[in-house]
Amino acid sequence: GILLGLSASGQDLAILRASGIEMICCEVPTQDPQDLAHWLQSVGDELTAILRRLGLDSIEQLQRQHLRALDYETASISGLRLVGYDRPLPHWFAR
């Protein structure tokens, strides 16, 4: 698990879950029940949209293969797939 010192968005939850973290605790942006309900709804809506784009039914189905690196350096260091390349960089297959 991880304890965030800030309030999380749906994208934050998706990235952390795809990274293998199973329990995520975060700060709430407000103590007002009305605003808290609105924040929870927006996080749920954002997460639902992300899962729908990936063709997944639940957050439990997110895996490392769903993560994408935004630049070549990050992809080469981490082994993540580069955005638009759709597979790990060739040197990750070399033995």
Side-chain angles (χ1 to χ4, degrees):
I2 189 169
L3 175 61
L4 296 177
L6 50 97
S7 60
S9 67
Q11 182 177 2
D12 295 333
L13 296 178
I15 291 170
L16 291 169
R17 178 63 185 120
S19 299
I21 296 173
E22 294 188 15
M23 185 183 341
I24 304 159
C25 298
C26 70
E27 297 288 325
V28 294
T30 182
Q31 297 297 323
D32 181 43
Q34 195 82 355
D35 291 339
L36 183 59
H38 181 265
W39 174 70
L40 288 172
Q41 182 67 42
S42 66
V43 168
D45 291 345
E46 184 180 6
L47 188 56
T48 300
I50 291 168
L51 293 173
R52 188 173 294 133
R53 271 196 317 266
L54 293 171
L56 302 175
D57 296 325
S58 71
I59 193 170
E60 287 85 16
Q61 294 175 322
L62 281 171
Q63 298 176 358
R64 190 172 192 273
Q65 70 184 12
H66 295 110
L67 295 174
R68 296 291 183 266
L70 298 177
D71 57 59
Y72 182 83
E73 291 80 21
T74 303
S76 64
I77 291 170
S78 66
L80 293 175
R81 296 168 183 187
L82 184 61
V83 169
Y85 195 60
D86 243 5
R87 60 183 177 268
L89 297 176
H91 69 274
W92 281 92
F93 293 117
R95 291 203 160 82

Coordinates of all heavy atoms in Angstrom, one line a residue:
G1 N 0.8 -1.2 0.0 CA 0.0 0.0 0.0 C 0.9 1.2 0.0 O 2.1 1.2 0.2
I2 N 0.2 2.4 -0.2 CA 0.9 3.7 -0.2 C 0.0 4.7 0.5 O -1.2 4.6 0.3 CB 1.3 4.1 -1.6 CG1 2.2 5.3 -1.6 CG2 0.0 4.3 -2.5 CD1 2.8 5.6 -3.0
L3 N 0.6 5.6 1.2 CA -0.1 6.7 1.8 C 0.3 8.0 1.1 O 1.5 8.4 1.1 CB 0.2 6.8 3.3 CG -0.3 8.0 4.0 CD1 -1.8 8.0 4.0 CD2 0.2 8.0 5.5
L4 N -0.6 8.6 0.4 CA -0.3 9.9 -0.4 C -0.5 11.0 0.6 O -1.5 11.0 1.3 CB -1.2 10.0 -1.6 CG -1.0 9.0 -2.7 CD1 -2.0 9.2 -3.8 CD2 0.4 9.0 -3.2
G5 N 0.3 12.1 0.5 CA 0.1 13.3 1.3 C -0.8 14.3 0.5 O -0.7 15.5 0.9
L6 N -1.5 13.9 -0.4 CA -2.3 14.8 -1.2 C -3.6 14.1 -1.7 O -3.7 12.9 -1.5 CB -1.6 15.3 -2.5 CG -0.9 14.2 -3.3 CD1 -1.7 13.8 -4.5 CD2 0.5 14.8 -3.8
S7 N -4.5 14.8 -2.2 CA -5.8 14.1 -2.7 C -5.5 13.6 -4.1 O -4.8 14.2 -4.9 CB -6.9 15.1 -2.7 OG -6.7 16.2 -3.6
A8 N -6.0 12.4 -4.3 CA -5.7 11.7 -5.6 C -6.8 11.9 -6.6 O -8.0 12.1 -6.2 CB -5.6 10.2 -5.3
S9 N -6.4 11.8 -7.8 CA -7.4 11.8 -8.9 C -7.6 10.4 -9.4 O -6.9 9.5 -9.0 CB -6.8 12.7 -10.0 OG -5.7 12.1 -10.6
G10 N -8.5 10.3 -10.3 CA -8.8 8.9 -10.9 C -7.6 8.5 -11.7 O -7.2 7.3 -11.6
Q11 N -6.8 9.4 -12.3 CA -5.6 9.0 -13.1 C -4.6 8.5 -12.1 O -3.9 7.5 -12.4 CB -5.1 10.2 -13.9 CG -3.9 9.8 -14.7 CD -3.4 11.0 -15.6 OE1 -4.0 12.1 -15.6 NE2 -2.4 10.8 -16.3
D12 N -4.4 9.2 -11.0 CA -3.4 8.8 -9.9 C -3.7 7.4 -9.5 O -2.8 6.5 -9.4 CB -3.5 9.7 -8.7 CG -3.0 11.1 -9.1 OD1 -2.2 11.3 -10.0 OD2 -3.5 12.1 -8.4
L13 N -5.0 7.1 -9.2 CA -5.4 5.8 -8.7 C -5.1 4.7 -9.8 O -4.6 3.6 -9.5 CB -6.9 5.7 -8.4 CG -7.3 6.6 -7.2 CD1 -8.8 6.5 -7.0 CD2 -6.5 6.3 -5.9
A14 N -5.4 5.0 -11.0 CA -5.1 4.0 -12.1 C -3.7 3.7 -12.3 O -3.2 2.6 -12.4 CB -5.7 4.6 -13.4
I15 N -2.8 4.8 -12.2 CA -1.4 4.6 -12.4 C -0.8 3.8 -11.2 O 0.0 2.9 -11.4 CB -0.7 6.0 -12.5 CG1 -1.0 6.6 -13.8 CG2 0.8 5.8 -12.3 CD1 -0.6 8.1 -14.0
L16 N -1.2 4.1 -10.0 CA -0.7 3.4 -8.8 C -1.2 2.0 -8.8 O -0.4 1.1 -8.6 CB -1.2 4.1 -7.5 CG -0.5 5.5 -7.3 CD1 -1.3 6.2 -6.1 CD2 0.9 5.3 -7.0
R17 N -2.4 1.7 -9.2 CA -2.9 0.3 -9.3 C -2.2 -0.5 -10.4 O -1.8 -1.6 -10.2 CB -4.4 0.3 -9.5 CG -5.0 -1.1 -9.6 CD -4.8 -1.8 -8.3 NE -5.3 -3.2 -8.5 CZ -4.5 -4.3 -8.3 NH1 -3.3 -4.2 -7.9 NH2 -5.0 -5.5 -8.5
A18 N -2.0 0.1 -11.5 CA -1.2 -0.5 -12.6 C 0.2 -0.8 -12.2 O 0.8 -1.7 -12.7 CB -1.3 0.3 -13.9
S19 N 0.7 0.0 -11.3 CA 2.1 -0.2 -10.8 C 2.2 -1.4 -9.8 O 3.3 -1.7 -9.4 CB 2.6 1.1 -10.1 OG 2.6 2.1 -11.1
G20 N 1.1 -1.9 -9.4 CA 1.1 -3.0 -8.5 C 0.7 -2.7 -7.1 O 0.7 -3.6 -6.2
I21 N 0.3 -1.5 -6.8 CA -0.1 -1.1 -5.5 C -1.5 -1.4 -5.3 O -2.4 -1.1 -6.1 CB 0.2 0.4 -5.2 CG1 1.7 0.7 -5.3 CG2 -0.4 0.8 -3.9 CD1 2.1 2.1 -5.3
E22 N -1.8 -2.2 -4.2 CA -3.2 -2.7 -4.0 C -4.0 -1.8 -3.1 O -5.2 -1.9 -3.1 CB -3.2 -4.1 -3.5 CG -2.6 -5.0 -4.6 CD -2.7 -6.5 -4.3 OE1 -3.5 -6.8 -3.4 OE2 -2.1 -7.3 -4.9
M23 N -3.3 -1.1 -2.2 CA -4.1 -0.2 -1.2 C -3.5 1.2 -1.3 O -2.3 1.4 -1.2 CB -4.0 -0.7 0.2 CG -4.8 0.1 1.1 SD -4.7 -0.3 2.9 CE -4.1 -1.9 3.1
I24 N -4.4 2.2 -1.6 CA -4.0 3.5 -1.7 C -4.8 4.4 -0.7 O -6.1 4.4 -0.8 CB -4.3 4.0 -3.2 CG1 -3.6 3.1 -4.2 CG2 -3.9 5.5 -3.3 CD1 -4.1 3.1 -5.5
C25 N -4.1 5.1 0.1 CA -4.8 6.1 1.0 C -4.3 7.5 0.7 O -3.2 7.7 0.4 CB -4.3 5.8 2.5 SG -4.8 4.1 3.1
C26 N -5.3 8.4 0.7 CA -4.9 9.8 0.3 C -5.7 10.8 1.2 O -6.6 10.4 1.8 CB -5.2 10.0 -1.2 SG -6.9 10.0 -1.6
E27 N -5.2 12.0 1.1 CA -5.9 13.1 1.8 C -7.2 13.4 1.1 O -7.3 13.2 -0.1 CB -5.0 14.3 1.8 CG -3.7 14.2 2.5 CD -3.9 14.1 4.0 OE1 -4.8 14.8 4.5 OE2 -3.1 13.4 4.6
V28 N -8.2 13.9 1.8 CA -9.4 14.4 1.2 C -9.3 15.9 1.1 O -8.7 16.6 1.9 CB -10.7 14.0 2.0 CG1 -10.9 12.5 2.1 CG2 -10.6 14.5 3.5
P29 N -9.8 16.4 -0.1 CA -9.6 17.9 -0.3 C -10.4 18.8 0.6 O -10.1 20.0 0.7 CB -10.0 18.0 -1.8 CG -10.9 16.9 -2.0 CD -10.5 15.8 -1.1
T30 N -11.4 18.3 1.2 CA -12.3 19.1 2.1 C -13.0 18.3 3.1 O -13.1 17.0 3.0 CB -13.4 19.8 1.2 OG1 -14.2 20.6 2.0 CG2 -14.2 18.8 0.5
Q31 N -13.5 18.9 4.1 CA -14.2 18.2 5.2 C -15.7 18.4 5.0 O -16.5 17.7 5.7 CB -13.8 18.7 6.6 CG -12.3 18.5 6.9 CD -12.0 17.0 7.0 OE1 -12.8 16.2 7.4 NE2 -10.8 16.6 6.5
D32 N -16.1 19.2 4.1 CA -17.5 19.5 3.9 C -18.1 18.2 3.2 O -17.7 17.8 2.1 CB -17.7 20.7 3.0 CG -19.2 21.0 2.7 OD1 -20.0 20.9 3.6 OD2 -19.5 21.3 1.5
P33 N -19.2 17.7 3.8 CA -19.8 16.4 3.2 C -20.2 16.6 1.7 O -20.1 15.7 0.9 CB -21.0 16.1 4.1 CG -20.7 16.8 5.4 CD -19.9 18.0 5.0
Q34 N -20.8 17.8 1.4 CA -21.2 18.0 0.0 C -20.0 18.0 -1.0 O -20.1 17.4 -2.0 CB -21.9 19.4 0.0 CG -22.8 19.6 -1.3 CD -24.1 18.9 -1.1 OE1 -24.4 18.2 -0.2 NE2 -24.9 19.1 -2.1
D35 N -19.0 18.7 -0.6 CA -17.8 18.8 -1.5 C -17.1 17.4 -1.5 O -16.6 17.0 -2.6 CB -16.8 19.8 -1.0 CG -17.3 21.2 -1.2 OD1 -18.2 21.4 -2.0 OD2 -16.8 22.1 -0.5
L36 N -17.1 16.7 -0.4 CA -16.5 15.4 -0.4 C -17.2 14.4 -1.3 O -16.6 13.7 -2.1 CB -16.5 14.8 1.0 CG -15.8 13.5 1.3 CD1 -14.4 13.5 0.9 CD2 -16.0 13.1 2.7
A37 N -18.5 14.5 -1.3 CA -19.3 13.6 -2.2 C -19.0 14.0 -3.7 O -18.9 13.1 -4.5 CB -20.8 13.8 -1.9
H38 N -18.9 15.3 -4.0 CA -18.6 15.7 -5.3 C -17.2 15.2 -5.7 O -17.0 14.7 -6.9 CB -18.7 17.2 -5.4 CG -18.4 17.7 -6.8 ND1 -17.1 18.1 -7.2 CD2 -19.2 17.9 -7.9 CE1 -17.2 18.5 -8.5 NE2 -18.4 18.4 -8.9
W39 N -16.2 15.3 -4.9 CA -14.8 14.8 -5.1 C -14.8 13.3 -5.4 O -14.2 12.9 -6.4 CB -13.9 15.2 -4.0 CG -12.6 14.6 -4.1 CD1 -11.6 15.0 -5.0 CD2 -12.0 13.5 -3.4 NE1 -10.5 14.2 -4.9 CE2 -10.7 13.3 -3.8 CE3 -12.5 12.8 -2.3 CZ2 -9.8 12.3 -3.3 CZ3 -11.6 11.8 -1.8 CH2 -10.3 11.6 -2.3
L40 N -15.5 12.5 -4.6 CA -15.6 11.1 -4.8 C -16.3 10.7 -6.1 O -15.8 9.8 -6.8 CB -16.4 10.4 -3.6 CG -15.6 10.4 -2.3 CD1 -16.6 9.9 -1.2 CD2 -14.4 9.5 -2.4
Q41 N -17.3 11.5 -6.4 CA -18.0 11.2 -7.7 C -17.1 11.5 -8.9 O -17.0 10.8 -9.9 CB -19.3 12.1 -7.8 CG -20.1 11.9 -9.1 CD -20.7 10.5 -9.1 OE1 -21.2 10.0 -8.1 NE2 -20.6 9.9 -10.3
S42 N -16.3 12.6 -8.8 CA -15.4 13.0 -9.9 C -14.3 12.0 -10.1 O -13.9 11.7 -11.2 CB -14.9 14.4 -9.8 OG -14.1 14.5 -8.6
V43 N -13.7 11.5 -8.9 CA -12.7 10.5 -9.0 C -13.2 9.2 -9.6 O -12.6 8.6 -10.5 CB -12.1 10.2 -7.6 CG1 -11.2 9.0 -7.6 CG2 -11.3 11.4 -7.1
G44 N -14.4 8.8 -9.2 CA -15.0 7.6 -9.8 C -15.3 7.7 -11.2 O -15.1 6.8 -12.0
D45 N -15.8 8.9 -11.7 CA -16.1 9.1 -13.1 C -14.8 9.1 -13.9 O -14.8 8.5 -15.0 CB -16.8 10.5 -13.3 CG -18.2 10.5 -12.7 OD1 -18.8 9.4 -12.4 OD2 -18.8 11.6 -12.6
E46 N -13.8 9.7 -13.4 CA -12.5 9.7 -14.1 C -11.9 8.3 -14.3 O -11.4 7.9 -15.3 CB -11.5 10.7 -13.4 CG -10.2 10.8 -14.2 CD -9.2 11.8 -13.5 OE1 -9.5 12.2 -12.3 OE2 -8.2 12.1 -14.1
L47 N -12.0 7.6 -13.2 CA -11.5 6.2 -13.2 C -12.3 5.3 -14.1 O -11.7 4.5 -14.9 CB -11.5 5.7 -11.8 CG -10.8 4.3 -11.6 CD1 -9.4 4.3 -12.0 CD2 -10.8 3.9 -10.1
T48 N -13.6 5.5 -14.1 CA -14.4 4.7 -15.0 C -14.1 5.0 -16.5 O -14.1 4.1 -17.3 CB -15.9 5.1 -14.7 OG1 -16.2 4.7 -13.4 CG2 -16.8 4.3 -15.7
A49 N -13.9 6.3 -16.8 CA -13.5 6.7 -18.2 C -12.2 6.1 -18.6 O -12.1 5.6 -19.7 CB -13.4 8.2 -18.3
I50 N -11.2 6.1 -17.7 CA -9.9 5.4 -18.0 C -10.1 4.0 -18.3 O -9.6 3.4 -19.2 CB -8.9 5.7 -16.8 CG1 -8.6 7.2 -16.8 CG2 -7.7 4.8 -17.0 CD1 -7.8 7.6 -15.5
L51 N -10.8 3.3 -17.4 CA -11.0 1.8 -17.5 C -11.8 1.5 -18.8 O -11.5 0.6 -19.5 CB -11.8 1.3 -16.3 CG -11.0 1.3 -15.0 CD1 -11.9 0.9 -13.9 CD2 -9.8 0.4 -15.1
R52 N -12.7 2.3 -19.2 CA -13.5 2.2 -20.4 C -12.6 2.3 -21.6 O -12.7 1.5 -22.6 CB -14.7 3.1 -20.5 CG -15.6 2.9 -21.6 CD -16.9 3.7 -21.6 NE -17.7 3.4 -20.4 CZ -18.2 4.3 -19.6 NH1 -18.0 5.6 -19.8 NH2 -18.9 3.9 -18.5
R53 N -11.7 3.3 -21.6 CA -10.8 3.5 -22.7 C -9.9 2.3 -22.9 O -9.5 1.9 -24.0 CB -9.9 4.7 -22.5 CG -10.5 6.0 -23.0 CD -9.5 7.1 -23.2 NE -8.6 7.2 -22.0 CZ -8.7 8.0 -21.0 NH1 -9.8 8.8 -20.9 NH2 -7.8 8.1 -20.1
L54 N -9.5 1.6 -21.8 CA -8.6 0.5 -21.8 C -9.4 -0.8 -22.1 O -8.8 -1.9 -22.3 CB -7.9 0.4 -20.5 CG -6.9 1.5 -20.2 CD1 -6.3 1.3 -18.8 CD2 -5.7 1.4 -21.2
G55 N -10.7 -0.8 -22.1 CA -11.5 -1.9 -22.3 C -11.6 -2.9 -21.1 O -11.7 -4.1 -21.2
L56 N -11.5 -2.3 -19.9 CA -11.5 -3.1 -18.7 C -12.7 -2.9 -17.9 O -13.4 -1.8 -18.0 CB -10.3 -2.7 -17.8 CG -8.9 -2.9 -18.4 CD1 -7.8 -2.3 -17.5 CD2 -8.6 -4.3 -18.8
D57 N -13.1 -3.9 -17.1 CA -14.3 -3.8 -16.3 C -14.1 -3.3 -14.9 O -15.0 -2.7 -14.3 CB -15.0 -5.2 -16.2 CG -15.4 -5.7 -17.5 OD1 -15.9 -4.9 -18.4 OD2 -15.3 -6.9 -17.8
S58 N -12.9 -3.5 -14.3 CA -12.6 -3.1 -13.0 C -11.2 -2.7 -12.8 O -10.3 -3.1 -13.6 CB -13.0 -4.2 -12.0 OG -12.1 -5.2 -12.1
I59 N -10.9 -2.0 -11.7 CA -9.6 -1.5 -11.4 C -8.7 -2.7 -11.1 O -7.4 -2.6 -11.3 CB -9.6 -0.5 -10.2 CG1 -8.3 0.3 -10.1 CG2 -10.0 -1.1 -8.9 CD1 -8.3 1.4 -9.2
E60 N -9.2 -3.8 -10.6 CA -8.4 -5.0 -10.4 C -7.7 -5.5 -11.6 O -6.7 -6.2 -11.5 CB -9.2 -6.1 -9.7 CG -9.5 -5.8 -8.2 CD -10.8 -4.9 -8.1 OE1 -11.5 -4.8 -9.1 OE2 -11.0 -4.3 -7.0
Q61 N -8.2 -5.2 -12.8 CA -7.7 -5.7 -14.0 C -6.5 -4.9 -14.6 O -5.8 -5.3 -15.5 CB -8.8 -5.8 -15.1 CG -9.8 -6.8 -14.8 CD -10.9 -6.8 -15.8 OE1 -11.3 -5.7 -16.3 NE2 -11.5 -7.9 -16.1
L62 N -6.2 -3.7 -13.9 CA -5.1 -2.9 -14.4 C -3.8 -3.6 -14.1 O -3.6 -4.2 -13.0 CB -5.1 -1.6 -13.7 CG -6.1 -0.5 -14.2 CD1 -6.1 0.7 -13.3 CD2 -5.7 -0.1 -15.6
Q63 N -2.9 -3.6 -15.0 CA -1.6 -4.2 -14.9 C -0.5 -3.3 -15.4 O -0.8 -2.3 -16.1 CB -1.5 -5.6 -15.6 CG -2.5 -6.6 -15.1 CD -2.5 -7.9 -16.0 OE1 -1.8 -8.0 -16.9 NE2 -3.3 -8.8 -15.6
R64 N 0.7 -3.7 -15.2 CA 1.9 -2.9 -15.6 C 1.9 -2.7 -17.2 O 2.3 -1.7 -17.7 CB 3.2 -3.6 -15.2 CG 4.4 -2.8 -15.4 CD 5.6 -3.4 -14.8 NE 6.8 -2.5 -14.8 CZ 7.6 -2.4 -15.8 NH1 7.5 -3.0 -16.9 NH2 8.6 -1.5 -15.7
Q65 N 1.3 -3.7 -17.9 CA 1.3 -3.6 -19.3 C 0.4 -2.4 -19.8 O 0.5 -2.0 -21.0 CB 0.8 -4.9 -20.0 CG -0.6 -5.2 -19.7 CD -1.1 -6.5 -20.2 OE1 -0.2 -7.3 -20.6 NE2 -2.3 -6.8 -20.3
H66 N -0.5 -1.9 -19.0 CA -1.3 -0.8 -19.3 C -0.6 0.6 -19.2 O -1.1 1.6 -19.6 CB -2.6 -0.8 -18.5 CG -3.4 -2.0 -18.8 ND1 -3.6 -3.0 -17.8 CD2 -4.1 -2.4 -19.9 CE1 -4.4 -3.9 -18.4 NE2 -4.7 -3.6 -19.6
L67 N 0.5 0.6 -18.5 CA 1.3 1.9 -18.4 C 2.1 2.2 -19.6 O 2.5 1.3 -20.3 CB 2.2 1.8 -17.2 CG 1.6 1.6 -15.8 CD1 2.7 1.3 -14.8 CD2 0.8 2.8 -15.4
R68 N 2.2 3.5 -19.9 CA 3.0 3.9 -21.1 C 4.0 5.0 -20.6 O 3.6 5.9 -19.9 CB 2.1 4.5 -22.2 CG 1.1 3.5 -22.8 CD 1.9 2.4 -23.6 NE 1.0 1.5 -24.2 CZ 0.6 0.3 -23.7 NH1 1.1 0.0 -22.5 NH2 -0.1 -0.5 -24.4
A69 N 5.2 4.9 -21.2 CA 6.2 6.0 -21.0 C 5.9 7.1 -22.0 O 5.6 6.8 -23.1 CB 7.6 5.4 -21.1
L70 N 6.1 8.3 -21.5 CA 5.9 9.5 -22.4 C 7.1 9.8 -23.3 O 7.0 10.6 -24.2 CB 5.4 10.7 -21.6 CG 4.1 10.5 -20.9 CD1 3.8 11.7 -20.0 CD2 3.0 10.2 -21.8
D71 N 8.3 9.4 -22.8 CA 9.5 9.7 -23.6 C 10.4 8.5 -23.7 O 10.3 7.5 -23.0 CB 10.2 10.9 -23.0 CG 10.6 10.7 -21.6 OD1 11.4 9.7 -21.3 OD2 10.2 11.5 -20.7
Y72 N 11.4 8.5 -24.6 CA 12.3 7.4 -24.9 C 13.1 7.1 -23.7 O 13.3 5.9 -23.4 CB 13.2 7.8 -26.1 CG 14.1 6.6 -26.5 CD1 13.6 5.6 -27.3 CD2 15.4 6.6 -26.0 CE1 14.5 4.5 -27.6 CE2 16.2 5.5 -26.3 CZ 15.8 4.5 -27.1 OH 16.6 3.5 -27.4
E73 N 13.6 8.1 -23.0 CA 14.5 7.8 -21.8 C 13.8 7.0 -20.8 O 14.3 6.1 -20.2 CB 15.1 9.1 -21.3 CG 16.0 9.8 -22.2 CD 15.4 10.6 -23.3 OE1 14.2 11.0 -23.2 OE2 16.1 10.9 -24.3
T74 N 12.6 7.5 -20.4 CA 11.8 6.7 -19.4 C 11.5 5.3 -19.9 O 11.6 4.4 -19.1 CB 10.5 7.5 -19.1 OG1 10.8 8.8 -18.8 CG2 9.7 6.8 -18.0
A75 N 11.2 5.1 -21.1 CA 10.9 3.8 -21.6 C 12.1 2.9 -21.6 O 12.0 1.7 -21.2 CB 10.4 3.9 -23.1
S76 N 13.3 3.5 -21.9 CA 14.5 2.6 -21.9 C 15.0 2.3 -20.5 O 15.5 1.2 -20.3 CB 15.6 3.3 -22.7 OG 16.0 4.5 -22.1
I77 N 14.7 3.2 -19.6 CA 15.2 2.9 -18.2 C 14.2 2.0 -17.5 O 14.6 1.0 -16.8 CB 15.3 4.2 -17.4 CG1 16.5 5.0 -17.9 CG2 15.4 3.9 -15.9 CD1 16.5 6.4 -17.4
S78 N 12.9 2.2 -17.7 CA 11.9 1.4 -16.9 C 11.4 0.1 -17.6 O 10.9 -0.8 -16.9 CB 10.7 2.3 -16.7 OG 10.0 2.6 -17.9
G79 N 11.6 0.0 -18.9 CA 11.0 -1.1 -19.6 C 9.6 -1.0 -20.0 O 8.9 -1.9 -20.5
L80 N 9.0 0.2 -19.7 CA 7.6 0.4 -20.0 C 7.5 0.6 -21.5 O 8.5 1.0 -22.2 CB 7.0 1.7 -19.3 CG 6.9 1.6 -17.8 CD1 6.5 3.0 -17.3 CD2 5.9 0.5 -17.4
R81 N 6.3 0.4 -22.1 CA 6.1 0.6 -23.5 C 6.0 2.1 -23.8 O 5.5 2.9 -23.0 CB 4.8 0.0 -23.9 CG 4.9 -1.5 -23.8 CD 3.5 -2.2 -23.9 NE 3.7 -3.6 -23.7 CZ 2.8 -4.5 -23.8 NH1 1.6 -4.2 -24.2 NH2 3.1 -5.8 -23.6
L82 N 6.6 2.5 -24.9 CA 6.6 3.9 -25.3 C 5.3 4.3 -25.9 O 4.8 3.5 -26.7 CB 7.8 4.2 -26.2 CG 8.0 5.6 -26.7 CD1 8.3 6.5 -25.5 CD2 9.1 5.6 -27.7
V83 N 4.7 5.4 -25.6 CA 3.4 5.8 -26.2 C 3.6 5.8 -27.7 O 4.5 6.3 -28.3 CB 3.1 7.3 -25.7 CG1 1.9 7.8 -26.5 CG2 2.7 7.3 -24.2
G84 N 2.7 5.1 -28.4 CA 2.7 5.0 -29.8 C 3.5 3.9 -30.4 O 3.4 3.5 -31.5
Y85 N 4.3 3.2 -29.5 CA 5.2 2.1 -30.0 C 4.5 0.8 -29.7 O 4.7 -0.2 -30.4 CB 6.5 2.2 -29.3 CG 7.6 1.4 -30.0 CD1 8.0 1.5 -31.3 CD2 8.2 0.4 -29.3 CE1 8.9 0.8 -31.9 CE2 9.2 -0.4 -29.9 CZ 9.5 -0.2 -31.2 OH 10.5 -1.0 -31.8
D86 N 3.7 0.7 -28.7 CA 2.9 -0.4 -28.3 C 3.6 -1.7 -28.0 O 3.0 -2.8 -28.0 CB 1.8 -0.7 -29.4 CG 0.4 -0.5 -28.9 OD1 0.3 -0.1 -27.7 OD2 -0.5 -0.7 -29.6
R87 N 4.9 -1.7 -27.7 CA 5.6 -2.9 -27.2 C 6.9 -2.3 -26.6 O 7.3 -1.2 -26.8 CB 5.9 -3.8 -28.3 CG 6.8 -3.3 -29.5 CD 6.9 -4.3 -30.6 NE 7.7 -3.8 -31.7 CZ 7.2 -3.2 -32.7 NH1 5.9 -3.1 -32.8 NH2 7.9 -2.8 -33.7
P88 N 7.5 -3.1 -25.7 CA 8.7 -2.7 -25.1 C 9.8 -2.4 -26.1 O 9.8 -3.0 -27.2 CB 9.1 -3.8 -24.2 CG 7.9 -4.6 -23.9 CD 7.0 -4.4 -25.2
L89 N 10.7 -1.5 -25.8 CA 11.8 -1.2 -26.7 C 12.6 -2.5 -27.0 O 12.7 -3.3 -26.2 CB 12.7 -0.1 -26.2 CG 12.0 1.2 -26.0 CD1 12.9 2.2 -25.3 CD2 11.4 1.8 -27.3
P90 N 13.1 -2.6 -28.2 CA 13.8 -3.8 -28.7 C 14.9 -4.3 -27.7 O 15.1 -5.5 -27.5 CB 14.4 -3.5 -30.0 CG 13.5 -2.4 -30.5 CD 13.1 -1.6 -29.3
H91 N 15.7 -3.4 -27.1 CA 16.8 -3.9 -26.3 C 16.3 -4.6 -25.0 O 17.1 -5.3 -24.4 CB 17.7 -2.8 -25.9 CG 17.2 -1.8 -25.0 ND1 16.4 -0.7 -25.5 CD2 17.2 -1.6 -23.7 CE1 16.0 0.0 -24.4 NE2 16.5 -0.5 -23.3
W92 N 15.0 -4.5 -24.6 CA 14.5 -5.2 -23.5 C 14.4 -6.7 -23.8 O 14.3 -7.5 -22.9 CB 13.2 -4.6 -23.0 CG 13.5 -3.4 -22.2 CD1 13.5 -2.1 -22.7 CD2 13.8 -3.3 -20.8 NE1 13.9 -1.3 -21.7 CE2 14.0 -2.0 -20.5 CE3 14.0 -4.3 -19.8 CZ2 14.4 -1.6 -19.2 CZ3 14.3 -3.9 -18.6 CH2 14.5 -2.5 -18.3
F93 N 14.3 -7.1 -25.1 CA 14.2 -8.5 -25.4 C 15.6 -9.1 -25.6 O 15.7 -10.3 -25.6 CB 13.4 -8.6 -26.7 CG 12.0 -8.3 -26.6 CD1 11.5 -7.2 -27.3 CD2 11.2 -8.9 -25.7 CE1 10.2 -6.8 -27.2 CE2 9.8 -8.6 -25.6 CZ 9.3 -7.5 -26.4
A94 N 16.6 -8.3 -25.7 CA 18.0 -8.8 -26.0 C 18.5 -9.6 -24.7 O 18.2 -9.2 -23.6 CB 18.9 -7.7 -26.3
R95 N 19.2 -10.6 -25.0 CA 19.8 -11.4 -23.9 C 21.3 -11.4 -24.0 O 22.0 -11.5 -24.8 CB 19.2 -12.8 -23.9 CG 17.8 -12.8 -23.5 CD 17.4 -14.2 -23.0 NE 16.2 -14.1 -22.2 CZ 14.9 -14.0 -22.7 NH1 14.7 -14.1 -24.0 NH2 13.9 -14.0 -21.9

